[in-house]
Amino acid sequence: MALTGVLRPGHVQLRMLDLDEGVRFYRDVLGLEETGRDAAGRVYLKAWDERDHHSIVLRQADRAGMDFFGFKVASSADLDRFEAELRDDGLKTERIPAGDLLETGERLRFELPSGHLIELYAEKTFVGSHFGQKDPKPWTPHQDRGIAPMRFDHALLYGPNVDRVLDIFTRILGFHLAEYVTLPDSDVKGALWLCCSNKAHDIAFVIHPEPGKLHHVSFYMESIDRVFRAADIMAAHDIKVDIGPTRHGITRGGTIYAWDPSGNRFETFSGGNSSYPDLPPIAWTWEGLGEGGGLDVAHRTMHETFLTVVT
Ligand code: M3P
Ligand code: FE
C-alpha cells in the first residue's frame, strides 16, 4: 500500500450550546446521517460517501469549539510507533480505551503545542454507504438530502507555536507541507496547509495567541454547483454566512464559510488542487493571502473575521 501511517481525517468532536438545535442543523440542514448516540448523550453522524461509523460527534457544552480531531492510521502497530516517537519528542500521550467513542478502537491522544488535542486510532466499524460495496448504484436519495457533503474533509485550527506543529506533523506523523503563508515582512511561516494524502490538505493551522481554537471544520462537496446549491439552502434556513461562495487562491478550492447555530464556523469546499510529498510547498506572502486572493479570489481582500472570529 502506498498510503501508510496516518491515512485520513477520521473525526472531530464539536461542542454545541444547544445539542438539539445542533443535531437539527448537522442532520437536517447540512444533511449528515445520524449513526448513534452514547450514554454520555453524544450524537454521532456521518456524510453520505463515508463508510466508517461516524466522522462528526456533537456534545452539549457551555462554550462552542472543538474537543479533539482524530486521524485514522493503517494499523495498531502505527499507534505504538507514533506513541514512542511523540514521547521521545517530549509530548505527553494518553491511551483512551476502545469503545469510549462508539464503534471506535483504542485512541492515542496528545496535545499539540498549539493547544489542540489530536488523536490517532486504527479501528472504527465499517458501516458502509447506501451504495453498497458490490455493483454500487450511481445515485441514492441520501446525497440530495440537505447540503449533503460527501465527507468531512479537514479543519483549520488557530493557536500558538505553529513552527513546532509543522515539525511534529512533518518529522513524526509523515505529513508534507502543501502551502504556507509567511507573516508580514518576515519569512516566519504563520499559516500551514498540511497533508497526509494527496488532497489539497488534511489539516491547517494559523498562528494565534489563544491556544486550542477552531477556525472551521470543512465538508467536501462534489462540485462548485453543489457549493452554490449549499448557498441556497443556507439562505433558505437563515444560516449566517461569513465568506463566499468564492474560491480560495490557497488550495484553489471553491468555498463558503458559514456558522452553525453555536457559532462554530463550517466550510462547504469543492475541488482544490492536489499535492505530493516530493513537490515543494506553494509559498504565499501576507499580502498574497489578502490582496493576492489567497483567502478570497473574487474579492482579493483580507476579511477581518478570518483573523478574529474563532471558537
Ligand atoms: C481552505 C481552508 C485560506 C485558504 C483556505 C483554504 C484560508 O480550504 O482551509 O479554508 O486562505
Ligand atoms: Fe478549509
Side-chain angles (χ1 to χ4, degrees):
M1 154 166 86
L3 204 54
T4 59
V6 180
L7 299 180
R8 60 174 174 273
H11 56 240
V12 282
Q13 181 167 300
L14 299 174
R15 296 188 293 267
M16 299 288 114
L17 301 179
D18 178 333
L19 182 61
D20 292 340
E21 183 186 37
V23 171
R24 280 198 297 276
F25 170 75
Y26 281 92
R27 188 188 54 203
D28 303 337
V29 179
L30 194 58
L32 304 184
E33 190 168 339
E34 186 178 324
T35 57
R37 294 196 180 213
D38 68 17
R42 294 182 294 189
V43 180
Y44 296 67
L45 304 119
K46 73 181 264 303
W48 58 263
D49 201 36
E50 290 175 322
R51 280 145 277 182
D52 286 351
H53 180 262
H54 62 266
S55 57
I56 302 295
V57 184
L58 307 178
R59 77 166 175 102
Q60 175 71 42
D62 56 12
R63 66 190 173 99
M66 182 190 85
D67 287 328
F68 51 80
F69 184 122
F71 288 99
K72 194 167 196 191
V73 300
S75 74
S76 56
D78 288 318
L79 295 185
D80 301 335
R81 177 168 64 88
F82 286 129
E83 181 175 49
E85 290 179 26
L86 291 163
R87 285 189 176 179
D88 280 352
D89 214 55
L91 291 163
K92 278 214 265 321
T93 64
E94 180 192 354
R95 294 268 187 160
I96 299 165
D100 171 83
L101 273 182
L102 284 187
E103 305 292 333
T104 306
E106 189 179 32
R107 288 131 69 207
L108 173 70
R109 179 184 281 182
F110 60 96
E111 184 173 340
L112 287 171
S114 57
H116 300 95
L117 293 179
I118 300 292
E119 305 182 340
L120 308 176
Y121 66 94
E123 306 287 341
K124 187 178 286 183
T125 304
F126 178 94
V127 296
S129 72
H130 296 282
F131 302 116
Q133 289 292 113
K134 194 171 172 218
D135 293 341
K137 294 273 184 269
W139 179 85
T140 78
H142 298 273
Q143 69 229 57
D144 284 330
R145 205 176 53 76
I147 290 172
M150 297 179 74
R151 62 167 188 258
F152 161 55
D153 190 79
H154 65 267
L156 172 57
L157 307 178
Y158 274 38
N161 304 312
V162 156
D163 53 339
R164 288 268 296 126
V165 169
L166 173 60
D167 182 55
I168 291 164
F169 271 95
T170 52
R171 189 169 46 79
I172 300 179
L173 299 176
F175 284 56
H176 62 273
L177 182 64
E179 308 200 26
Y180 64 87
V181 180
T182 48
L183 296 176
D185 306 314
S186 153
D187 58 10
V188 172
K189 295 180 179 70
L192 315 171
W193 280 261
L194 289 156
C195 269
C196 59
S197 61
N198 83 321
K199 288 160 52 190
H201 61 311
D202 292 291
I203 193 165
F205 291 87
V206 168
I207 197 165
H208 187 70
E210 235 188 309
K213 291 294 178 185
L214 171 68
H215 184 276
H216 67 266
V217 291
S218 186
F219 295 92
Y220 194 79
M221 310 300 301
E222 276 184 293
S223 67
I224 193 70
D225 293 354
R226 298 286 288 194
V227 175
F228 277 100
R229 177 178 170 280
D232 290 338
I233 294 172
M234 289 176 199
H237 290 275
D238 289 322
I239 302 300
K240 199 157 175 262
V241 171
D242 178 23
I243 300 178
T246 182
R247 182 195 292 284
H248 293 303
I250 300 175
T251 73
R252 297 187 50 78
T255 180
I256 302 171
Y257 285 160
W259 284 287
D260 78 10
S262 296
N264 297 304
R265 192 188 279 95
F266 70 97
E267 175 178 44
T268 51
F269 178 77
S270 79
N273 53 23
S274 49
S275 70
Y276 286 92
D278 61 308
L279 302 176
I282 297 169
W284 294 81
T285 59
W286 195 255
E287 298 69 38
L289 172 62
E291 296 83 76
L295 172 60
D296 179 345
V297 166
H299 301 92
R300 294 178 301 282
T301 182
M302 173 51 76
H303 297 258
E304 200 231 325
T305 52
F306 181 72
L307 299 173
T308 56
V309 181
V310 289
T311 55

